[in-house]
Amino acid sequence: MLEKSVKFVVMKILLTTILLLSASLSEANNNKYLFSGLKYPEIAQAIYRLETGNGKSLLYKKHNNLFGFRKNKRKIYTGLTKTLYCIYPDKYSSVLDYSYFERNLIKKYKIKSKAHFIKCLAINYAGKNNIKYSLKIKKLCS
């Protein structure tokens, strides 16, 4: 009986290890899938990389905030941090919030191209005409 439970524990540890390794190896592929339904997925990927330090920020790890969103009218988030950053139940909710942001920006400025979208990000995402931010996004997209 003891031998059987030891085998079970060992198998569970092995399976957990395999799952953790495969999850970390496929993080980039998973994020590409996450962003695939967006109009400009490469821009979303660039913002994610910039805002989270390639997925290393505490805001991303603890609160699933992929884009550095703060309190907003879209209210997809389930809570707020003390500094008013959005808390999401999962990564998908964060991407959903971004998809509404993207759609609203495209509609508001009648955006027809990736370059125009990046230009509008400088105004609407990073604050008052933050050209440095849009240049970083442009660089990450190329």
Side-chain angles (χ1 to χ4, degrees), residues 62-76:
K62 189 174 180 184
H63 301 301
N64 296 305
N65 191 328
L66 278 72
F67 304 101
F69 279 136
R70 290 180 177 253
K71 183 178 180 181
N72 58 61
K73 294 176 184 175
R74 296 178 301 275
K75 296 187 180 175
I76 304 294

Side-chain angles (χ1 to χ4, degrees), residues 10-27 30 91:
V10 169
M11 290 299 290
K12 190 173 180 180
I13 291 170
L14 284 172
L15 182 59
T16 303
T17 305
I18 290 167
L19 288 172
L20 287 172
L21 284 172
S22 66
S24 63
L25 290 173
S26 64
E27 181 73 21
N30 286 340
K91 292 190 291 188

Side-chain angles (χ1 to χ4, degrees), residues 60-112:
Y60 168 71
K61 289 179 178 179
K62 189 174 180 184
H63 301 301
N64 296 305
N65 191 328
L66 278 72
F67 304 101
F69 279 136
R70 290 180 177 253
K71 183 178 180 181
N72 58 61
K73 294 176 184 175
R74 296 178 301 275
K75 296 187 180 175
I76 304 294
Y77 52 87
T78 56
L80 297 167
T81 66
K82 290 179 184 176
T83 53
L84 301 179
Y85 282 100
C86 298
I87 298 171
Y88 299 98
D90 50 48
K91 292 190 291 188
Y92 307 103
S93 298
S94 183
V95 174
L96 178 63
D97 196 4
Y98 178 85
S99 73
Y100 285 123
F101 167 80
E102 180 189 62
R103 187 184 69 203
N104 292 339
L105 197 65
I106 289 168
K107 187 176 178 182
K108 181 178 180 179
Y109 292 99
K110 297 174 178 49
I111 295 171
K112 302 283 186 212

Side-chain angles (χ1 to χ4, degrees), residues 106-135:
I106 289 168
K107 187 176 178 182
K108 181 178 180 179
Y109 292 99
K110 297 174 178 49
I111 295 171
K112 302 283 186 212
S113 71
K114 180 175 149 182
H116 188 205
F117 188 82
I118 291 172
K119 186 177 179 182
C120 291
L121 275 176
I123 301 163
N124 288 273
Y125 190 83
K128 297 188 177 174
N129 212 5
N130 190 336
I131 301 302
K132 287 181 183 177
Y133 189 84
S134 62
L135 290 174

